[in-house]
């Protein structure tokens, strides 16, 4: 075979192969862009996405929204798998007495911080809400809005409580004074339903 013939045959095989690879790469980029756009839309501003092929990673989604966010993105056409980077659950404290409810902790989005406080305020039975919360990237409150609201509602239902609930390193510590044994038992039962019996540490005493 003449050299130029061999080179021509090689080119005839190689060029279509290269074009095919380029076509696949372009198509893959189009799919990624489409999935990224649709996933971002599905999150409605609740976080960001990182797309690799057909796999989606959720970033910056508030902890309590992750399950719903995963379902919404997983249902999109073309998505193969969805995972999430869980935010760091920093220390959270809720202190309650007859005058006020004090909340301290961090979350990654100011809008979610404000929503968290607004809902809790609705269940504080008229007590002043003192805000010691802040925003910090990659963090979130270590208690869902629903759980925090339920806890505050129970603690403020009647006067006589002077307690602090702290969520730190996977433990929920209840410390302070509750008005009677019944309120103490009800509060501990609520926390155990929300977090599990092996997680709650009771340091309270009855008045």
């Amino acid at each position: 075979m003449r050299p130029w013939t061999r080179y021509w045959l090689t080119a005839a095989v190689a060029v279509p192969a290269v074009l095919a690879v380029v076509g696949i790469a372009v198509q893959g980029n189009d799919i990624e862009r489409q999935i990224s756009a649709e996933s971002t839309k599905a999150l409605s501003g609740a976080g960001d996405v990182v797309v690799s092929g057909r796999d989606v990673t959720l970033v910056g989604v508030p902890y309590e929204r992750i399950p719903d966010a995963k379902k919404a993105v997983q249902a999109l056409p073309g998505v193969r798998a969805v995972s999430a980077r869980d935010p760091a659950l920093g220390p959270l404290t809720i202190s309650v007495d007859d005058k006020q409810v004090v909340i301290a902790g961090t979350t990654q989005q100011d809008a979610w911080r404000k929503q968290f406080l607004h809902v809790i305020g609705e269940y504080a039975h008229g007590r002043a809400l003192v805000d010691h919360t802040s925003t910090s990237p990659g963090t979130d409150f270590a208690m869902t809005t629903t759980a925090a609201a339920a806890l505050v509602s129970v603690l403020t239902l009647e006067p006589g409580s002077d307690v602090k609930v702290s969520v730190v390193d996977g433990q929920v510590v209840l410390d302070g004074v509750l008005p009677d044994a019944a309120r103490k038992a009800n509060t501990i039962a609520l926390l155990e339903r929300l977090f599990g019996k092996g997680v709650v540490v009771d340091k309270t005493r009855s008045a």
Side-chain angles (χ1 to χ4, degrees):
M1 182 180 293
R2 296 176 181 178
W4 65 266
T5 304
R6 184 172 66 252
Y7 296 148
W8 182 85
L9 289 174
T10 301
V13 173
V15 170
V18 170
L19 292 177
V21 170
V22 171
I24 291 172
V26 171
Q27 183 181 19
N29 289 336
D30 287 343
I31 291 172
E32 284 190 359
R33 281 194 291 269
Q34 180 180 357
I35 289 177
S36 180
E38 293 297 324
S39 298
T40 300
K41 182 179 179 181
L43 292 182
S44 301
D48 300 312
V49 298
V50 176
V51 180
S52 177
R54 297 178 181 272
D55 298 336
V56 180
T57 302
L58 309 182
V59 181
V61 177
Y63 185 75
E64 63 185 275
R65 288 287 307 277
I66 287 177
D68 289 340
K70 280 185 174 181
K71 290 179 182 178
V73 174
Q74 187 67 70
L76 296 174
V79 174
R80 179 173 56 189
V82 181
S83 59
R85 295 178 188 170
D86 291 344
L89 301 182
L92 172 71
T93 61
I94 299 177
S95 301
V96 175
D97 61 31
D98 287 344
K99 295 181 179 180
Q100 62 188 14
V101 177
V102 182
I103 310 292
T106 63
T107 188
Q108 55 198 342
Q109 294 188 32
D110 194 54
W112 287 100
R113 184 187 67 83
K114 292 177 179 177
Q115 177 66 13
F116 185 83
L117 294 171
H118 172 74
V119 173
I120 291 176
E122 293 292 310
Y123 289 87
H125 293 101
R127 287 167 174 75
L129 187 66
V130 180
D131 174 20
H132 288 169
T133 63
S134 61
T135 57
S136 179
T139 67
D140 203 3
F141 296 128
M143 190 181 296
T144 67
T145 303
T146 301
L151 176 63
V152 168
S153 180
V154 168
L155 292 175
T156 59
L157 186 60
E158 296 178 9
S161 296
D162 187 359
V163 297
K164 180 172 73 173
V165 180
S166 304
V167 186
V168 183
D169 296 331
Q171 284 193 324
V172 181
V173 181
L174 180 64
D175 196 2
V177 179
L178 289 165
D180 51 55
R183 183 81 66 83
K184 177 182 172 77
N186 289 340
T187 303
I188 296 301
L190 172 63
L191 288 172
E192 289 179 344
R193 285 199 302 271
L194 293 172
F195 296 97
K197 291 185 177 181
V199 175
V200 179
V201 178
D202 177 23
K203 295 183 178 181
T204 59
R205 62 187 186 279
S206 299

